[in-house]
Amino acid sequence: MMREMDDAPVIIVDPQPRTLDLICDSPTRARLEALGRLVVHEDGRMPDAIVDEHLPRAVAVVGQTTLDADRIAQAPRLRAVVNVEGNFLPNVDYEACFARGIHVLCASPAFAGAVAEWALGAAIDLCRGITTADRLMRARRERYQLDGNRGSFLLAGSSVGFIGFGDLARALHALLAPFRCRIAAYDPWVPDELLQRLGVRPAGLEQVLCGSRVLFVMAAVTDENQGFLGEHELSLIPPGAAVVLASRAAVVEFDAFVELAEAGHFRAATDVFPVEPVAADDPVRRADNVVLSPHLAGGMAEAFLEIGRLTVADLELVLRGLPPVACKRAERETAGRLRSRPVE
């Protein structure tokens, strides 16, 4: 019996900042347990001694465990690494994994629907001035009917631009279909043919900025685009436009973003900030022309449970000798270029 236990495949579960209960309902956990013996650690990061003890028998690592080349060499049976936080982090030696044929996956598609729904809600809020009207009414300064709607406009039929057209943008694109918007997108990592197939007009960065009455910023952070939407680029956005920042704060010069919104150049909503939690005295808290959301867009119970379902679905495939299809796969050309910060 001891020999059978020693030979049993191991799945290391090191999910901080998640927990297994957060990402797995009972049926999903049962499917995960059927794949191997779980070694679970949820009180902070799994200690190195525990990781190193179980790596030789591990067929999968679920979590944000540091896996350098030496550790990967200790894991001859390793088939898959699944990040359940939502980013490809720099604590994995991707080249060593690629050389061994180890699949490195990220369950970030689980958040796409939730973030898209928030972004749509934020856009409608900005177009129609919902939050602004609420603030005015509470201050007894409201204006009624057409007088209160001056400057507002319908999302339906508006020109919409996307900066970045990955999983988040594609989920939002589907939600926008009933609004019959004219949609353009800038994403140097997505070919024009794919955009056109989806009914989206490919455009340069300045074209999207200048031509969008509603702008969604949904680009991932890379080693090439940090702060690429600076004051000059943001000033190209048409006056009165609605700007929704839903991906990562690092892609914009955040101070300029807030200052231009406060100056009335455009209306803005953001779910992300350069430092989170936001400091109590951060000036952004006083920005009346910015709708603020404390990183709530993707943080839904349904999204967290989807992480578990996507993870287990791909592990079931990989351990049968098939390629993963549910999670996002790390690609040799891009994995090392991503720069999203870990969740605190």
Side-chain angles (χ1 to χ4, degrees):
M1 176 65 74
M2 183 61 69
R3 182 178 298 276
E4 290 179 4
M5 287 295 293
D6 287 345
D7 292 340
V10 166
I11 297 175
I12 294 174
V13 183
D14 182 20
Q16 189 190 19
R18 317 297 181 213
T19 66
L20 200 52
D21 286 343
L22 179 67
I23 64 174
C24 287
D25 55 21
S26 295
T28 304
R29 179 158 184 161
R31 289 167 58 195
L32 181 61
E33 290 174 340
L35 297 175
R37 180 166 65 88
L38 304 189
V39 176
V40 182
H41 186 86
E42 298 180 305
D43 184 16
R45 296 290 184 205
M46 183 176 285
D48 290 344
I50 298 177
V51 175
D52 294 336
E53 175 187 354
H54 294 285
L55 271 176
R57 294 181 302 282
V59 294
V61 175
V62 176
Q64 289 62 257
T65 311
T66 296
L67 294 170
D68 57 21
D70 289 341
R71 273 193 165 167
I72 292 166
Q74 295 175 39
R77 303 172 69 178
L78 190 62
R79 305 283 295 281
V81 178
V82 188
N83 180 297
V84 295
E85 181 216 79
N87 300 304
F88 288 117
L89 301 176
N91 64 340
V92 173
D93 190 317
Y94 293 96
E95 284 300 327
C97 290
F98 295 142
R100 281 266 310 278
I102 298 167
H103 295 286
V104 184
L105 309 172
C106 176
S108 58
F111 294 113
V115 173
E117 189 173 285
W118 177 88
L120 176 60
I124 293 173
D125 185 323
L126 296 177
C127 293
R128 299 298 303 274
I130 296 170
T131 295
T132 299
D134 175 81
R135 291 171 178 169
L136 289 173
M137 194 158 193
R138 293 175 188 278
R140 300 180 183 179
R141 294 189 289 114
E142 74 270 19
R143 294 171 296 167
Y144 286 83
Q145 298 192 38
L146 183 59
D147 189 40
N149 272 323
R150 298 195 187 281
S152 296
F153 59 92
L154 295 180
L155 174 60
S158 290
S159 55
V160 168
F162 283 90
I163 306 294
F165 208 78
D167 291 335
L168 303 182
R170 294 175 207 189
L172 176 56
H173 175 254
L175 297 183
L176 284 171
F179 292 89
R180 307 178 311 282
C181 299
R182 304 180 303 280
I183 300 176
Y186 167 77
D187 191 326
W189 288 12
V190 177
D192 290 355
E193 290 77 9
L194 176 58
L195 295 174
Q196 291 166 345
R197 191 184 312 155
L198 294 171
V200 175
R201 178 172 62 86
L205 177 60
E206 290 197 1
Q207 288 178 297
V208 172
L209 291 169
C210 294
S212 301
R213 199 172 192 189
V214 180
L215 180 68
F216 295 100
V217 180
M218 310 193 95
V221 185
T222 73
D223 57 2
E224 298 174 342
N225 73 355
Q226 296 183 64
F228 81 108
L229 295 177
E231 183 176 2
H232 168 71
E233 288 77 17
L234 295 170
S235 69
L236 300 176
I237 297 170
V243 183
V244 178
L245 177 55
S247 55
R248 288 291 184 264
V251 299
V252 304
E253 287 185 11
F254 197 78
D255 288 346
F257 172 76
V258 174
E259 288 168 6
L260 283 167
E262 276 294 87
H265 184 72
F266 52 72
R267 314 161 192 200
T270 184
D271 185 56
V272 290
F273 303 86
V275 177
E276 298 175 7
V278 176
D281 60 351
D282 193 304
V284 75
R285 294 182 182 274
R286 301 187 296 274
D288 287 336
N289 210 31
V290 183
V291 176
L292 305 176
S293 170
H295 214 134
L296 299 178
M300 300 291 292
E302 297 92 333
F304 288 123
L305 291 175
E306 183 71 359
I307 288 175
R309 288 189 285 266
L310 297 180
T311 296
V312 172
D314 271 349
L315 288 180
E316 288 172 338
L317 290 173
V318 169
L319 297 181
R320 288 168 50 206
L322 296 171
V325 298
C327 295
K328 182 184 288 293
R329 300 173 62 167
E331 302 293 348
R332 186 185 299 269
E333 296 82 1
T334 57
R337 296 163 65 181
L338 297 170
R339 291 293 181 270
S340 289
R341 293 188 302 108
V343 174
E344 298 294 340

